[in-house]
Amino acid sequence: QSALTQPASVSGSPGQSITISCTGASSDVGSYKFVSWYQQHPGKAPKVMIYEVSERPSGVSNRFSGSKSGNTASLTISGLQAEDEADYYCCSYAGSGTFSVFGGGTKVTVL
Amino acid sequence: QLQLQESGPGLVKPSETLSLTCTVSGASISSSTYYWGWIRQPPGKGLEWIGSIFYSGSTHYNPSLKNRVSISLDTSRNYFSLILSSVTAADTAVYYCARGGFYYYALDVWGQGTTVTVSS
């Protein structure tokens, strides 16, 4: 089971938009709509920000959006704010065998 | 309001067995619309999915841990458990329990996490 590939870090200035990529394989990201994204602040538990590629849970800002093309999913944060500085992880369903796989995580820095 | 709380020893000796419990309050773990999972995070590293269990008792495990891990449900006391055998220092991590949605396969409620250190 290989972890999904994410950039180690992404940065942007307040108000800008950034995009985090998450590259998997045809056996996970490429085959299912069940890609989710999690935000984790230091010392805290992760929080789901996006599920089913592009759906936002109630209470999550509409500045967060998700998409997918082929084996790569993406998370876009628009109107970047200081509070968005955190680690972000993608996760994909990978079938009834492997079931679930996480990305390595991306540290977002607000300049 | 749904809450999950991990509990268990914070220190385990090498080669011994790690055992954690996740107590669920505010919802029944017998619900057919959810599954329950364990995720861990070694110090300074990323999240690693350990395994999941459905209300039926069926389980799915990370292939890299499959020979050492077991997850079970106790529906009478509304909690689920993790057992990881033959631990080494590489198993030192914060261990999280979480609820997953059966129809959307995302972990929507997490426990606060518990730190487990493997050391003699």
Side-chain angles (χ1 to χ4, degrees), chain A residues 1 34 36 38 40 44-48 50-52 89 93 96-104, chain B residues 35 39 41 45-49 52 54 60-63 96 103-108 110-112:
Chain A
Q1 181 195 35
F34 303 119
S36 50
Y38 301 86
Q40 186 182 36
K44 300 295 186 182
K47 172 189 175 183
V48 62
I50 294 288
Y51 67 97
E52 283 187 345
Y89 295 90
Y93 177 70
S96 59
T98 302
F99 194 80
S100 185
V101 61
F102 278 100
Chain B
Y35 61 92
I39 303 93
Q41 185 170 35
K45 296 188 177 181
L47 301 172
E48 179 183 31
W49 172 71
S52 300
F54 286 76
H60 300 269
Y61 300 126
N62 186 324
Y96 295 99
Y103 296 110
Y104 46 86
Y105 288 101
L107 299 166
D108 58 358
W110 292 65
Q112 65 184 24

mmCIF file of all heavy atoms in Angstrom, chain A residues 1 34 36 38 40 44-48 50-52 89 93 96-104, chain B residues 35 39 41 45-49 52 54 60-63 96 103-108 110-112:
data_model
loop_
_atom_site.group_PDB
_atom_site.id
_atom_site.type_symbol
_atom_site.label_atom_id
_atom_site.label_comp_id
_atom_site.label_asym_id
_atom_site.label_seq_id
_atom_site.Cartn_x
_atom_site.Cartn_y
_atom_site.Cartn_z
ATOM 1 N N GLN A 1 0.849 -1.191 0.000
ATOM 2 C CA GLN A 1 0.000 0.000 0.000
ATOM 3 C C GLN A 1 0.885 1.242 0.000
ATOM 4 O O GLN A 1 1.586 1.516 0.968
ATOM 5 C CB GLN A 1 -0.887 0.006 1.241
ATOM 6 C CG GLN A 1 -1.833 1.179 1.337
ATOM 7 C CD GLN A 1 -2.416 1.334 2.737
ATOM 8 O OE1 GLN A 1 -1.766 1.074 3.730
ATOM 9 N NE2 GLN A 1 -3.651 1.769 2.824
ATOM 10 N N PHE A 34 -14.417 8.756 -3.608
ATOM 11 C CA PHE A 34 -14.285 8.900 -2.157
ATOM 12 C C PHE A 34 -12.908 9.426 -1.752
ATOM 13 O O PHE A 34 -12.132 8.754 -1.072
ATOM 14 C CB PHE A 34 -14.568 7.565 -1.475
ATOM 15 C CG PHE A 34 -15.920 7.015 -1.804
ATOM 16 C CD1 PHE A 34 -16.054 5.789 -2.451
ATOM 17 C CD2 PHE A 34 -17.064 7.733 -1.483
ATOM 18 C CE1 PHE A 34 -17.310 5.294 -2.767
ATOM 19 C CE2 PHE A 34 -18.319 7.231 -1.786
ATOM 20 C CZ PHE A 34 -18.440 6.008 -2.429
ATOM 21 N N SER A 36 -11.121 12.422 0.377
ATOM 22 C CA SER A 36 -11.402 13.391 1.430
ATOM 23 C C SER A 36 -10.134 14.146 1.788
ATOM 24 O O SER A 36 -9.017 13.691 1.512
ATOM 25 C CB SER A 36 -11.991 12.698 2.671
ATOM 26 O OG SER A 36 -11.210 11.587 3.059
ATOM 27 N N TYR A 38 -8.261 16.569 4.991
ATOM 28 C CA TYR A 38 -8.270 16.858 6.420
ATOM 29 C C TYR A 38 -7.297 17.980 6.730
ATOM 30 O O TYR A 38 -6.187 18.024 6.188
ATOM 31 C CB TYR A 38 -7.904 15.599 7.220
ATOM 32 C CG TYR A 38 -8.859 14.467 6.945
ATOM 33 C CD1 TYR A 38 -8.646 13.614 5.870
ATOM 34 C CD2 TYR A 38 -10.000 14.289 7.710
ATOM 35 C CE1 TYR A 38 -9.549 12.600 5.571
ATOM 36 C CE2 TYR A 38 -10.908 13.280 7.424
ATOM 37 C CZ TYR A 38 -10.674 12.444 6.345
ATOM 38 O OH TYR A 38 -11.569 11.450 6.052
ATOM 39 N N GLN A 40 -5.177 19.773 9.832
ATOM 40 C CA GLN A 40 -4.689 19.485 11.186
ATOM 41 C C GLN A 40 -3.797 20.614 11.679
ATOM 42 O O GLN A 40 -2.743 20.872 11.118
ATOM 43 C CB GLN A 40 -3.920 18.159 11.219
ATOM 44 C CG GLN A 40 -3.521 17.741 12.629
ATOM 45 C CD GLN A 40 -2.728 16.457 12.667
ATOM 46 O OE1 GLN A 40 -1.924 16.171 11.782
ATOM 47 N NE2 GLN A 40 -2.940 15.650 13.724
ATOM 48 N N LYS A 44 -3.509 19.115 17.481
ATOM 49 C CA LYS A 44 -4.958 18.888 17.407
ATOM 50 C C LYS A 44 -5.269 17.674 16.539
ATOM 51 O O LYS A 44 -4.458 17.234 15.735
ATOM 52 C CB LYS A 44 -5.667 20.115 16.825
ATOM 53 C CG LYS A 44 -5.460 21.386 17.629
ATOM 54 C CD LYS A 44 -6.083 21.285 19.007
ATOM 55 C CE LYS A 44 -6.006 22.603 19.745
ATOM 56 N NZ LYS A 44 -6.572 22.491 21.117
ATOM 57 N N ALA A 45 -6.487 17.161 16.703
ATOM 58 C CA ALA A 45 -6.950 16.077 15.843
ATOM 59 C C ALA A 45 -7.297 16.634 14.461
ATOM 60 O O ALA A 45 -7.667 17.798 14.330
ATOM 61 C CB ALA A 45 -8.171 15.407 16.459
ATOM 62 N N PRO A 46 -7.177 15.811 13.438
ATOM 63 C CA PRO A 46 -7.572 16.248 12.096
ATOM 64 C C PRO A 46 -9.056 16.571 12.029
ATOM 65 O O PRO A 46 -9.858 16.055 12.807
ATOM 66 C CB PRO A 46 -7.243 15.027 11.217
ATOM 67 C CG PRO A 46 -6.200 14.280 11.986
ATOM 68 C CD PRO A 46 -6.572 14.480 13.426
ATOM 69 N N LYS A 47 -9.396 17.420 11.055
ATOM 70 C CA LYS A 47 -10.788 17.823 10.827
ATOM 71 C C LYS A 47 -11.077 17.674 9.340
ATOM 72 O O LYS A 47 -10.295 18.141 8.502
ATOM 73 C CB LYS A 47 -10.985 19.280 11.241
ATOM 74 C CG LYS A 47 -12.342 19.869 10.866
ATOM 75 C CD LYS A 47 -12.371 21.369 11.123
ATOM 76 C CE LYS A 47 -13.666 22.003 10.639
ATOM 77 N NZ LYS A 47 -13.656 23.477 10.824
ATOM 78 N N VAL A 48 -12.195 17.021 9.009
ATOM 79 C CA VAL A 48 -12.525 16.835 7.603
ATOM 80 C C VAL A 48 -12.981 18.153 6.992
ATOM 81 O O VAL A 48 -13.826 18.858 7.545
ATOM 82 C CB VAL A 48 -13.586 15.725 7.418
ATOM 83 C CG1 VAL A 48 -14.907 16.066 8.098
ATOM 84 C CG2 VAL A 48 -13.805 15.427 5.939
ATOM 85 N N ILE A 50 -13.181 18.356 3.224
ATOM 86 C CA ILE A 50 -13.807 17.975 1.958
ATOM 87 C C ILE A 50 -14.021 16.458 1.987
ATOM 88 O O ILE A 50 -13.157 15.718 2.467
ATOM 89 C CB ILE A 50 -12.924 18.338 0.747
ATOM 90 C CG1 ILE A 50 -12.765 19.850 0.603
ATOM 91 C CG2 ILE A 50 -13.460 17.711 -0.552
ATOM 92 C CD1 ILE A 50 -14.018 20.582 0.109
ATOM 93 N N TYR A 51 -15.158 16.001 1.468
ATOM 94 C CA TYR A 51 -15.383 14.566 1.288
ATOM 95 C C TYR A 51 -15.991 14.345 -0.096
ATOM 96 O O TYR A 51 -16.482 15.293 -0.727
ATOM 97 C CB TYR A 51 -16.261 14.000 2.403
ATOM 98 C CG TYR A 51 -17.690 14.515 2.395
ATOM 99 C CD1 TYR A 51 -18.710 13.770 1.804
ATOM 100 C CD2 TYR A 51 -18.031 15.733 2.986
ATOM 101 C CE1 TYR A 51 -20.024 14.237 1.781
ATOM 102 C CE2 TYR A 51 -19.335 16.201 2.975
ATOM 103 C CZ TYR A 51 -20.319 15.449 2.386
ATOM 104 O OH TYR A 51 -21.621 15.912 2.364
ATOM 105 N N GLU A 52 -15.947 13.112 -0.559
ATOM 106 C CA GLU A 52 -16.443 12.794 -1.908
ATOM 107 C C GLU A 52 -15.918 13.782 -2.943
ATOM 108 O O GLU A 52 -16.685 14.344 -3.742
ATOM 109 C CB GLU A 52 -17.976 12.744 -1.926
ATOM 110 C CG GLU A 52 -18.522 11.468 -1.316
ATOM 111 C CD GLU A 52 -20.037 11.340 -1.499
ATOM 112 O OE1 GLU A 52 -20.691 12.352 -1.834
ATOM 113 O OE2 GLU A 52 -20.547 10.233 -1.300
ATOM 114 N N TYR A 89 -4.047 16.802 4.741
ATOM 115 C CA TYR A 89 -3.870 15.429 4.290
ATOM 116 C C TYR A 89 -5.021 15.019 3.376
ATOM 117 O O TYR A 89 -6.191 15.273 3.696
ATOM 118 C CB TYR A 89 -3.840 14.470 5.481
ATOM 119 C CG TYR A 89 -2.676 14.661 6.410
ATOM 120 C CD1 TYR A 89 -2.758 15.531 7.490
ATOM 121 C CD2 TYR A 89 -1.485 13.967 6.212
ATOM 122 C CE1 TYR A 89 -1.678 15.728 8.346
ATOM 123 C CE2 TYR A 89 -0.402 14.144 7.061
ATOM 124 C CZ TYR A 89 -0.507 15.032 8.122
ATOM 125 O OH TYR A 89 0.567 15.207 8.965
ATOM 126 N N TYR A 93 -10.425 6.225 -0.594
ATOM 127 C CA TYR A 93 -10.889 4.841 -0.499
ATOM 128 C C TYR A 93 -10.127 4.068 -1.565
ATOM 129 O O TYR A 93 -9.842 4.584 -2.647
ATOM 130 C CB TYR A 93 -12.387 4.780 -0.760
ATOM 131 C CG TYR A 93 -12.968 3.388 -0.759
ATOM 132 C CD1 TYR A 93 -13.067 2.645 0.411
ATOM 133 C CD2 TYR A 93 -13.438 2.811 -1.946
ATOM 134 C CE1 TYR A 93 -13.623 1.385 0.405
ATOM 135 C CE2 TYR A 93 -13.992 1.539 -1.951
ATOM 136 C CZ TYR A 93 -14.080 0.831 -0.778
ATOM 137 O OH TYR A 93 -14.618 -0.428 -0.789
ATOM 138 N N SER A 96 -12.235 -2.686 -1.332
ATOM 139 C CA SER A 96 -12.547 -3.485 -0.149
ATOM 140 C C SER A 96 -11.323 -4.184 0.425
ATOM 141 O O SER A 96 -11.326 -4.613 1.574
ATOM 142 C CB SER A 96 -13.622 -4.518 -0.484
ATOM 143 O OG SER A 96 -13.171 -5.371 -1.525
ATOM 144 N N GLY A 97 -10.257 -4.293 -0.341
ATOM 145 C CA GLY A 97 -9.045 -4.929 0.170
ATOM 146 C C GLY A 97 -8.216 -3.973 0.999
ATOM 147 O O GLY A 97 -8.168 -4.038 2.215
ATOM 148 N N THR A 98 -7.586 -3.047 0.340
ATOM 149 C CA THR A 98 -6.749 -2.052 1.020
ATOM 150 C C THR A 98 -7.571 -1.078 1.827
ATOM 151 O O THR A 98 -7.140 -0.610 2.865
ATOM 152 C CB THR A 98 -5.892 -1.296 -0.001
ATOM 153 O OG1 THR A 98 -5.097 -2.236 -0.718
ATOM 154 C CG2 THR A 98 -4.985 -0.283 0.674
ATOM 155 N N PHE A 99 -8.722 -0.738 1.369
ATOM 156 C CA PHE A 99 -9.734 0.102 1.994
ATOM 157 C C PHE A 99 -9.419 1.585 2.021
ATOM 158 O O PHE A 99 -10.179 2.393 1.521
ATOM 159 C CB PHE A 99 -10.047 -0.377 3.418
ATOM 160 C CG PHE A 99 -11.296 0.235 3.982
ATOM 161 C CD1 PHE A 99 -12.544 -0.261 3.623
ATOM 162 C CD2 PHE A 99 -11.243 1.304 4.860
ATOM 163 C CE1 PHE A 99 -13.708 0.301 4.115
ATOM 164 C CE2 PHE A 99 -12.407 1.878 5.363
ATOM 165 C CZ PHE A 99 -13.638 1.373 4.992
ATOM 166 N N SER A 100 -8.273 1.989 2.629
ATOM 167 C CA SER A 100 -8.044 3.424 2.803
ATOM 168 C C SER A 100 -6.552 3.727 2.786
ATOM 169 O O SER A 100 -5.743 2.949 3.290
ATOM 170 C CB SER A 100 -8.640 3.878 4.134
ATOM 171 O OG SER A 100 -8.530 5.274 4.291
ATOM 172 N N VAL A 101 -6.202 4.881 2.181
ATOM 173 C CA VAL A 101 -4.800 5.299 2.148
ATOM 174 C C VAL A 101 -4.721 6.815 2.280
ATOM 175 O O VAL A 101 -5.521 7.540 1.673
ATOM 176 C CB VAL A 101 -4.114 4.799 0.857
ATOM 177 C CG1 VAL A 101 -4.778 5.367 -0.384
ATOM 178 C CG2 VAL A 101 -2.631 5.095 0.874
ATOM 179 N N PHE A 102 -3.770 7.288 3.077
ATOM 180 C CA PHE A 102 -3.565 8.717 3.282
ATOM 181 C C PHE A 102 -2.424 9.228 2.412
ATOM 182 O O PHE A 102 -1.535 8.472 2.015
ATOM 183 C CB PHE A 102 -3.197 9.008 4.740
ATOM 184 C CG PHE A 102 -4.365 9.086 5.675
ATOM 185 C CD1 PHE A 102 -4.703 8.001 6.475
ATOM 186 C CD2 PHE A 102 -5.121 10.249 5.782
ATOM 187 C CE1 PHE A 102 -5.778 8.059 7.351
ATOM 188 C CE2 PHE A 102 -6.196 10.320 6.662
ATOM 189 C CZ PHE A 102 -6.531 9.228 7.437
ATOM 190 N N GLY A 103 -2.430 10.525 2.164
ATOM 191 C CA GLY A 103 -1.289 11.190 1.578
ATOM 192 C C GLY A 103 -0.273 11.509 2.662
ATOM 193 O O GLY A 103 -0.567 11.411 3.854
ATOM 194 N N GLY A 104 0.919 11.919 2.239
ATOM 195 C CA GLY A 104 1.981 12.196 3.194
ATOM 196 C C GLY A 104 1.828 13.519 3.938
ATOM 197 O O GLY A 104 2.531 13.761 4.922
ATOM 198 N N TYR B 35 -18.852 3.387 10.027
ATOM 199 C CA TYR B 35 -17.830 2.438 10.428
ATOM 200 C C TYR B 35 -16.892 3.161 11.392
ATOM 201 O O TYR B 35 -16.996 4.384 11.565
ATOM 202 C CB TYR B 35 -17.087 1.861 9.209
ATOM 203 C CG TYR B 35 -16.352 2.879 8.360
ATOM 204 C CD1 TYR B 35 -15.020 3.192 8.600
ATOM 205 C CD2 TYR B 35 -17.006 3.512 7.295
ATOM 206 C CE1 TYR B 35 -14.353 4.115 7.810
ATOM 207 C CE2 TYR B 35 -16.339 4.443 6.512
ATOM 208 C CZ TYR B 35 -15.009 4.733 6.766
ATOM 209 O OH TYR B 35 -14.351 5.666 5.990
ATOM 210 N N ILE B 39 -6.414 5.424 13.435
ATOM 211 C CA ILE B 39 -5.400 6.106 12.635
ATOM 212 C C ILE B 39 -4.282 6.497 13.597
ATOM 213 O O ILE B 39 -4.543 6.833 14.750
ATOM 214 C CB ILE B 39 -5.973 7.383 11.980
ATOM 215 C CG1 ILE B 39 -7.196 7.043 11.122
ATOM 216 C CG2 ILE B 39 -4.915 8.102 11.173
ATOM 217 C CD1 ILE B 39 -8.527 7.165 11.847
ATOM 218 N N GLN B 41 -0.261 8.587 14.149
ATOM 219 C CA GLN B 41 0.632 9.618 13.641
ATOM 220 C C GLN B 41 1.920 9.590 14.448
ATOM 221 O O GLN B 41 1.965 10.099 15.572
ATOM 222 C CB GLN B 41 -0.035 10.989 13.725
ATOM 223 C CG GLN B 41 0.757 12.112 13.106
ATOM 224 C CD GLN B 41 -0.051 13.383 13.002
ATOM 225 O OE1 GLN B 41 -0.880 13.704 13.855
ATOM 226 N NE2 GLN B 41 0.176 14.137 11.923
ATOM 227 N N LYS B 45 5.466 13.122 11.918
ATOM 228 C CA LYS B 45 5.159 12.495 10.632
ATOM 229 C C LYS B 45 3.668 12.599 10.304
ATOM 230 O O LYS B 45 2.905 13.225 11.031
ATOM 231 C CB LYS B 45 5.609 11.034 10.657
ATOM 232 C CG LYS B 45 7.116 10.875 10.807
ATOM 233 C CD LYS B 45 7.532 9.430 10.636
ATOM 234 C CE LYS B 45 9.056 9.297 10.720
ATOM 235 N NZ LYS B 45 9.497 7.883 10.539
ATOM 236 N N GLY B 46 3.296 11.970 9.187
ATOM 237 C CA GLY B 46 1.931 12.069 8.706
ATOM 238 C C GLY B 46 1.006 11.020 9.279
ATOM 239 O O GLY B 46 1.397 10.179 10.093
ATOM 240 N N LEU B 47 -0.242 11.078 8.828
ATOM 241 C CA LEU B 47 -1.270 10.156 9.291
ATOM 242 C C LEU B 47 -1.126 8.802 8.593
ATOM 243 O O LEU B 47 -0.805 8.727 7.415
ATOM 244 C CB LEU B 47 -2.657 10.718 9.003
ATOM 245 C CG LEU B 47 -2.985 12.066 9.621
ATOM 246 C CD1 LEU B 47 -4.327 12.579 9.086
ATOM 247 C CD2 LEU B 47 -3.017 11.980 11.138
ATOM 248 N N GLU B 48 -1.384 7.755 9.340
ATOM 249 C CA GLU B 48 -1.356 6.398 8.792
ATOM 250 C C GLU B 48 -2.627 5.676 9.207
ATOM 251 O O GLU B 48 -2.918 5.550 10.400
ATOM 252 C CB GLU B 48 -0.132 5.621 9.278
ATOM 253 C CG GLU B 48 -0.080 4.188 8.755
ATOM 254 C CD GLU B 48 1.093 3.396 9.283
ATOM 255 O OE1 GLU B 48 1.529 3.654 10.427
ATOM 256 O OE2 GLU B 48 1.569 2.492 8.569
ATOM 257 N N TRP B 49 -3.396 5.215 8.248
ATOM 258 C CA TRP B 49 -4.601 4.445 8.545
ATOM 259 C C TRP B 49 -4.184 3.060 9.050
ATOM 260 O O TRP B 49 -3.340 2.395 8.451
ATOM 261 C CB TRP B 49 -5.451 4.316 7.286
ATOM 262 C CG TRP B 49 -6.616 3.392 7.438
ATOM 263 C CD1 TRP B 49 -7.749 3.592 8.168
ATOM 264 C CD2 TRP B 49 -6.753 2.103 6.838
ATOM 265 N NE1 TRP B 49 -8.581 2.508 8.056
ATOM 266 C CE2 TRP B 49 -8.008 1.582 7.239
ATOM 267 C CE3 TRP B 49 -5.954 1.341 5.997
ATOM 268 C CZ2 TRP B 49 -8.457 0.338 6.831
ATOM 269 C CZ3 TRP B 49 -6.398 0.102 5.581
ATOM 270 C CH2 TRP B 49 -7.645 -0.390 6.006
ATOM 271 N N SER B 52 -10.197 -0.476 10.035
ATOM 272 C CA SER B 52 -11.582 -0.066 10.261
ATOM 273 C C SER B 52 -12.451 -1.278 10.527
ATOM 274 O O SER B 52 -12.128 -2.389 10.094
ATOM 275 C CB SER B 52 -12.124 0.686 9.038
ATOM 276 O OG SER B 52 -11.366 1.835 8.774
ATOM 277 N N PHE B 54 -16.771 -2.443 10.653
ATOM 278 C CA PHE B 54 -18.155 -2.097 10.405
ATOM 279 C C PHE B 54 -19.039 -2.682 11.498
ATOM 280 O O PHE B 54 -18.619 -3.557 12.258
ATOM 281 C CB PHE B 54 -18.578 -2.617 9.030
ATOM 282 C CG PHE B 54 -17.994 -1.812 7.903
ATOM 283 C CD1 PHE B 54 -16.668 -1.951 7.531
ATOM 284 C CD2 PHE B 54 -18.775 -0.890 7.223
ATOM 285 C CE1 PHE B 54 -16.131 -1.203 6.495
ATOM 286 C CE2 PHE B 54 -18.248 -0.133 6.185
ATOM 287 C CZ PHE B 54 -16.933 -0.288 5.817
ATOM 288 N N HIS B 60 -11.167 -4.271 8.060
ATOM 289 C CA HIS B 60 -10.197 -4.015 7.001
ATOM 290 C C HIS B 60 -8.954 -3.470 7.687
ATOM 291 O O HIS B 60 -9.065 -2.571 8.520
ATOM 292 C CB HIS B 60 -10.719 -2.993 5.995
ATOM 293 C CG HIS B 60 -11.974 -3.411 5.314
ATOM 294 N ND1 HIS B 60 -11.978 -4.097 4.124
ATOM 295 C CD2 HIS B 60 -13.274 -3.238 5.666
ATOM 296 C CE1 HIS B 60 -13.229 -4.322 3.763
ATOM 297 N NE2 HIS B 60 -14.028 -3.817 4.674
ATOM 298 N N TYR B 61 -7.786 -3.981 7.318
ATOM 299 C CA TYR B 61 -6.549 -3.570 7.963
ATOM 300 C C TYR B 61 -5.522 -3.090 6.953
ATOM 301 O O TYR B 61 -5.476 -3.561 5.812
ATOM 302 C CB TYR B 61 -5.949 -4.732 8.759
ATOM 303 C CG TYR B 61 -6.832 -5.277 9.864
ATOM 304 C CD1 TYR B 61 -7.144 -6.623 9.938
ATOM 305 C CD2 TYR B 61 -7.352 -4.417 10.837
ATOM 306 C CE1 TYR B 61 -7.945 -7.123 10.950
ATOM 307 C CE2 TYR B 61 -8.162 -4.908 11.855
ATOM 308 C CZ TYR B 61 -8.459 -6.255 11.902
ATOM 309 O OH TYR B 61 -9.259 -6.740 12.904
ATOM 310 N N ASN B 62 -4.671 -2.176 7.404
ATOM 311 C CA ASN B 62 -3.526 -1.744 6.607
ATOM 312 C C ASN B 62 -2.659 -2.976 6.334
ATOM 313 O O ASN B 62 -2.242 -3.646 7.273
ATOM 314 C CB ASN B 62 -2.744 -0.689 7.383
ATOM 315 C CG ASN B 62 -1.619 -0.085 6.583
ATOM 316 O OD1 ASN B 62 -0.963 -0.762 5.800
ATOM 317 N ND2 ASN B 62 -1.379 1.193 6.793
ATOM 318 N N PRO B 63 -2.388 -3.261 5.064
ATOM 319 C CA PRO B 63 -1.598 -4.474 4.753
ATOM 320 C C PRO B 63 -0.252 -4.520 5.471
ATOM 321 O O PRO B 63 0.224 -5.608 5.792
ATOM 322 C CB PRO B 63 -1.420 -4.375 3.232
ATOM 323 C CG PRO B 63 -2.601 -3.605 2.760
ATOM 324 C CD PRO B 63 -2.867 -2.599 3.843
ATOM 325 N N TYR B 96 -5.346 7.832 17.062
ATOM 326 C CA TYR B 96 -6.681 8.442 16.997
ATOM 327 C C TYR B 96 -7.726 7.377 16.654
ATOM 328 O O TYR B 96 -7.466 6.489 15.825
ATOM 329 C CB TYR B 96 -6.750 9.496 15.902
ATOM 330 C CG TYR B 96 -5.893 10.721 16.088
ATOM 331 C CD1 TYR B 96 -4.667 10.843 15.438
ATOM 332 C CD2 TYR B 96 -6.321 11.785 16.889
ATOM 333 C CE1 TYR B 96 -3.884 11.977 15.593
ATOM 334 C CE2 TYR B 96 -5.546 12.931 17.040
ATOM 335 C CZ TYR B 96 -4.330 13.015 16.386
ATOM 336 O OH TYR B 96 -3.557 14.150 16.530
ATOM 337 N N TYR B 103 -21.501 5.877 3.508
ATOM 338 C CA TYR B 103 -21.887 6.282 2.156
ATOM 339 C C TYR B 103 -20.928 7.286 1.529
ATOM 340 O O TYR B 103 -21.044 7.586 0.347
ATOM 341 C CB TYR B 103 -23.302 6.850 2.162
ATOM 342 C CG TYR B 103 -24.325 5.823 2.558
ATOM 343 C CD1 TYR B 103 -24.982 5.896 3.782
ATOM 344 C CD2 TYR B 103 -24.613 4.747 1.725
ATOM 345 C CE1 TYR B 103 -25.900 4.940 4.155
ATOM 346 C CE2 TYR B 103 -25.533 3.776 2.092
ATOM 347 C CZ TYR B 103 -26.177 3.881 3.309
ATOM 348 O OH TYR B 103 -27.080 2.928 3.678
ATOM 349 N N TYR B 104 -19.990 7.802 2.323
ATOM 350 C CA TYR B 104 -19.069 8.784 1.768
ATOM 351 C C TYR B 104 -17.607 8.528 2.135
ATOM 352 O O TYR B 104 -16.714 9.236 1.698
ATOM 353 C CB TYR B 104 -19.461 10.201 2.202
ATOM 354 C CG TYR B 104 -19.780 10.366 3.663
ATOM 355 C CD1 TYR B 104 -18.785 10.617 4.602
ATOM 356 C CD2 TYR B 104 -21.098 10.264 4.121
ATOM 357 C CE1 TYR B 104 -19.077 10.752 5.941
ATOM 358 C CE2 TYR B 104 -21.402 10.394 5.467
ATOM 359 C CZ TYR B 104 -20.386 10.648 6.371
ATOM 360 O OH TYR B 104 -20.696 10.775 7.699
ATOM 361 N N TYR B 105 -17.359 7.482 2.914
ATOM 362 C CA TYR B 105 -16.003 7.040 3.227
ATOM 363 C C TYR B 105 -15.075 8.177 3.627
ATOM 364 O O TYR B 105 -13.981 8.332 3.082
ATOM 365 C CB TYR B 105 -15.422 6.249 2.050
ATOM 366 C CG TYR B 105 -16.060 4.886 1.927
ATOM 367 C CD1 TYR B 105 -17.059 4.645 0.984
ATOM 368 C CD2 TYR B 105 -15.694 3.846 2.771
ATOM 369 C CE1 TYR B 105 -17.668 3.390 0.891
ATOM 370 C CE2 TYR B 105 -16.298 2.595 2.684
ATOM 371 C CZ TYR B 105 -17.279 2.385 1.739
ATOM 372 O OH TYR B 105 -17.874 1.163 1.651
ATOM 373 N N ALA B 106 -15.540 8.988 4.545
ATOM 374 C CA ALA B 106 -14.695 10.030 5.129
ATOM 375 C C ALA B 106 -14.827 9.959 6.644
ATOM 376 O O ALA B 106 -15.863 9.554 7.175
ATOM 377 C CB ALA B 106 -15.095 11.412 4.625
ATOM 378 N N LEU B 107 -13.775 10.357 7.339
ATOM 379 C CA LEU B 107 -13.750 10.300 8.801
ATOM 380 C C LEU B 107 -14.240 11.642 9.331
ATOM 381 O O LEU B 107 -13.503 12.630 9.300
ATOM 382 C CB LEU B 107 -12.329 9.994 9.270
ATOM 383 C CG LEU B 107 -11.800 8.648 8.758
ATOM 384 C CD1 LEU B 107 -10.294 8.556 8.950
ATOM 385 C CD2 LEU B 107 -12.497 7.495 9.472
ATOM 386 N N ASP B 108 -15.484 11.673 9.803
ATOM 387 C CA ASP B 108 -16.101 12.960 10.115
ATOM 388 C C ASP B 108 -16.073 13.333 11.586
ATOM 389 O O ASP B 108 -16.326 14.482 11.929
ATOM 390 C CB ASP B 108 -17.540 13.012 9.577
ATOM 391 C CG ASP B 108 -18.419 11.905 10.140
ATOM 392 O OD1 ASP B 108 -17.915 11.070 10.925
ATOM 393 O OD2 ASP B 108 -19.615 11.867 9.785
ATOM 394 N N TRP B 110 -13.565 12.721 15.106
ATOM 395 C CA TRP B 110 -12.313 12.160 15.602
ATOM 396 C C TRP B 110 -12.229 12.288 17.121
ATOM 397 O O TRP B 110 -12.760 13.233 17.707
ATOM 398 C CB TRP B 110 -11.117 12.912 14.991
ATOM 399 C CG TRP B 110 -10.922 12.729 13.532
ATOM 400 C CD1 TRP B 110 -11.772 13.133 12.523
ATOM 401 C CD2 TRP B 110 -9.793 12.129 12.885
ATOM 402 N NE1 TRP B 110 -11.240 12.807 11.303
ATOM 403 C CE2 TRP B 110 -10.020 12.199 11.492
ATOM 404 C CE3 TRP B 110 -8.605 11.548 13.343
ATOM 405 C CZ2 TRP B 110 -9.108 11.696 10.551
ATOM 406 C CZ3 TRP B 110 -7.701 11.060 12.411
ATOM 407 C CH2 TRP B 110 -7.952 11.132 11.035
ATOM 408 N N GLY B 111 -11.526 11.369 17.742
ATOM 409 C CA GLY B 111 -11.161 11.536 19.138
ATOM 410 C C GLY B 111 -10.005 12.518 19.237
ATOM 411 O O GLY B 111 -9.440 12.935 18.217
ATOM 412 N N GLN B 112 -9.640 12.874 20.436
ATOM 413 C CA GLN B 112 -8.566 13.853 20.634
ATOM 414 C C GLN B 112 -7.184 13.235 20.445
ATOM 415 O O GLN B 112 -6.195 13.954 20.282
ATOM 416 C CB GLN B 112 -8.662 14.459 22.030
ATOM 417 C CG GLN B 112 -8.433 13.456 23.157
ATOM 418 C CD GLN B 112 -8.633 14.087 24.542
ATOM 419 O OE1 GLN B 112 -9.343 15.083 24.688
ATOM 420 N NE2 GLN B 112 -8.026 13.497 25.556
#
